[in-house]
Amino acid sequence: MADNTTKFLQDIFINLLEDQLEKAESQEEADEIVKHFEKIDLETIFGEMFDTMASDTTRYMRDTMYEQVMISRADEQEFLARQEQKWGRAFVASESMYIMTLEATQAYVEAINQLPQEELKKNHCTFTALQHIHGRALQQFLEIITLMKNGFADGAYARWRSMYELTIISSFITKHGENVAEAFIESSETDDRYEWARASTIFPITKKYISFNDIQKNSGIDSAIWCQQYDLANKTVHASPQGTFKRLSNTGGINIIPVGRSDYGITTPAEHSAISLAQITTMFFTIYSTGDSIVAIKYIHNWIDVIREEYFKTHDFVFPDEEKLWEDSMVSYETTVIGDTDE
């Protein structure tokens, strides 16, 4: 079956031939016209026409791109308005967690800066490493909120993958001490990814490479709980068949191919990112424990349940035909991982 462009050019060619044949005054003249058309190099002519049409289309699109984009932006704003109407309370819960964590962090750092220098020296590298990791986690948490607001569940989950890795790195540094933290900081000036972990002295000298999985197994965090979720996030990030056909934003129909915004699947990155932020914050705030930091850790952890309630209840309302996510009896995040129903 010919495509529209080829059919258009073929129709022009046929119409031109028919016009010439109608003007022929004899069969001999008609035969000459046909022979002349048969000698025409259609491939070359069509190629030149393709170039001309592409140039004309490019020029037209450039001349009208503002109008076209404004139409697209109007559709975008319509989606964002509906997204806010349906998920507004849930987004506010996530944004509140970001604000409360940021404010608690500012207060914590100010308090630590008042400690005697001798006290600060004891965990200087650990504090510096975790402070930068925590800042990165806060920024990624905000990125996840932005992606969820815009209907990009898979993009949000990809960012959570990075947050999870930061959680593992934070735990490894915290567990193995100042030498590891110092090596981590110094590695920022090199191309090494995980060689800094050798400073822990837990890996044999004969081990050629240190992998993230090596660090994960020795981090002190029960990675078995998160194994399935991290594996799913990896598939979402990479060009895997699972990450292609079973995206979070896909409502479950294999014939549905998300190419833009969707409000499906955002409960998973919302919950997981809240847990990761709370975990990293806990490790950072306990390097030098204060009464204020302990209280902050507790209310930040409590907020995970608020996140769950707002997102899960909204999911159940927006998608009434899906399996219910919200349960009256909440289970501690330390023993349970609840994902979205499309996993």
Side-chain angles (χ1 to χ4, degrees):
M1 181 180 292
D3 57 87
N4 291 332
T5 301
T6 302
K7 185 177 183 303
F8 172 73
L9 294 177
Q10 288 175 341
D11 289 343
I12 291 177
F13 180 81
I14 292 173
N15 291 335
L16 181 60
L17 175 59
E18 290 175 348
D19 288 343
Q20 293 296 316
L21 290 175
E22 288 179 0
K23 297 176 181 178
E25 297 181 354
S26 64
Q27 184 61 45
E28 290 78 10
E29 188 175 347
D31 292 340
E32 286 298 320
I33 292 174
V34 171
K35 288 180 181 179
H36 176 73
F37 271 79
E38 288 175 346
K39 294 179 181 179
I40 295 176
D41 185 356
L42 290 180
E43 184 176 348
T44 300
I45 293 177
F46 277 25
E48 293 174 352
M49 290 299 296
F50 288 157
D51 291 340
T52 300
M53 294 174 72
S55 297
D56 291 344
T57 303
T58 301
R59 189 179 304 108
Y60 171 79
M61 294 294 290
R62 184 168 184 174
D63 291 342
T64 63
M65 64 179 180
Y66 183 84
E67 292 83 352
Q68 297 296 326
V69 170
M70 290 305 103
I71 294 172
S72 177
R73 287 186 182 179
D75 293 338
E76 172 188 324
Q77 292 303 314
E78 184 179 344
F79 171 87
L80 295 177
R82 291 196 306 268
Q83 185 83 328
E84 179 64 25
Q85 184 179 28
K86 290 184 288 187
W87 294 90
R89 284 181 58 90
F91 294 148
V92 166
S94 292
E95 291 173 89
S96 296
M97 186 173 189
Y98 171 80
I99 292 170
M100 71 174 67
T101 305
L102 178 61
E103 291 178 347
T105 301
Q106 292 169 334
Y108 173 66
V109 172
E110 289 176 5
I112 300 309
N113 286 337
Q114 302 304 314
L115 294 176
Q117 287 299 313
E118 289 301 315
E119 182 71 16
L120 291 175
K121 287 181 180 178
K122 295 178 182 179
N123 296 300
H124 172 71
C125 291
T126 302
F127 183 84
T128 300
L130 267 291
Q131 185 178 19
H132 283 264
I133 290 174
H134 186 262
R136 185 179 180 185
L138 269 171
Q139 185 180 57
Q140 290 179 348
F141 186 73
L142 191 58
E143 290 172 2
I144 289 169
I145 295 173
T146 302
L147 287 164
M148 292 190 302
K149 283 182 173 181
N150 281 271
F152 298 119
D154 296 279
Y157 206 44
R159 298 310 291 144
W160 169 76
R161 173 181 179 267
S162 180
M163 283 192 73
Y164 173 76
E165 292 174 348
L166 290 177
T167 305
I168 295 298
I169 298 301
S170 297
S171 183
F172 187 88
I173 292 173
T174 303
K175 179 180 178 181
H176 296 285
E178 276 288 279
N179 289 338
V180 174
E182 184 178 7
F184 178 80
I185 295 169
E186 291 175 350
S187 288
S188 65
E189 301 297 330
T190 72
D191 293 329
D192 294 334
R193 292 189 65 188
Y194 301 122
E195 289 304 298
W196 54 267
R198 290 189 187 275
S200 65
T201 69
I202 64 172
F203 300 111
I205 299 176
T206 55
K207 189 172 181 58
K208 190 173 182 179
Y209 300 109
I210 305 295
S211 68
F212 175 76
N213 193 46
D214 293 326
I215 295 174
Q216 183 175 230
K217 289 178 179 178
N218 295 278
S219 66
I221 287 183
D222 187 359
S223 58
I225 296 176
W226 292 96
C227 182
Q228 181 181 359
Q229 304 302 323
Y230 183 60
D231 181 60
L232 174 63
N234 283 329
K235 291 173 181 175
T236 299
V237 170
H238 299 299
S240 66
Q242 297 85 356
T244 300
F245 286 92
K246 295 183 179 180
R247 284 178 281 167
L248 292 182
S249 55
N250 193 325
T251 57
I254 195 169
N255 292 323
I256 298 175
I257 304 176
V259 297
R261 293 170 172 81
S262 170
D263 67 342
Y264 196 82
I266 63 176
T267 56
T268 301
E271 182 204 27
H272 290 9
S273 61
I275 294 172
S276 293
L277 181 60
Q279 290 175 324
I280 295 172
T281 301
T282 297
M283 286 180 275
F284 180 41
F285 281 17
T286 51
I287 297 173
Y288 300 100
S289 291
T290 69
D292 290 343
S293 68
I294 292 173
V295 171
I297 288 170
K298 290 182 179 295
Y299 67 66
I300 289 171
H301 276 251
N302 289 343
W303 203 258
I304 295 171
D305 287 342
V306 177
I307 295 284
R308 282 199 182 103
E309 180 176 356
E310 294 297 342
Y311 279 91
F312 289 4
K313 283 185 175 180
T314 302
H315 174 278
D316 293 347
F317 177 77
V318 174
F319 304 107
D321 296 331
E322 297 288 334
E323 180 182 345
K324 301 302 180 184
L325 296 182
W326 175 251
E327 296 178 356
D328 292 333
S329 57
M330 295 300 297
V331 183
S332 171
Y333 77 89
E334 288 143 336
T335 58
T336 300
V337 177
I338 304 175
D340 207 336
T341 55
D342 57 348
E343 294 176 12

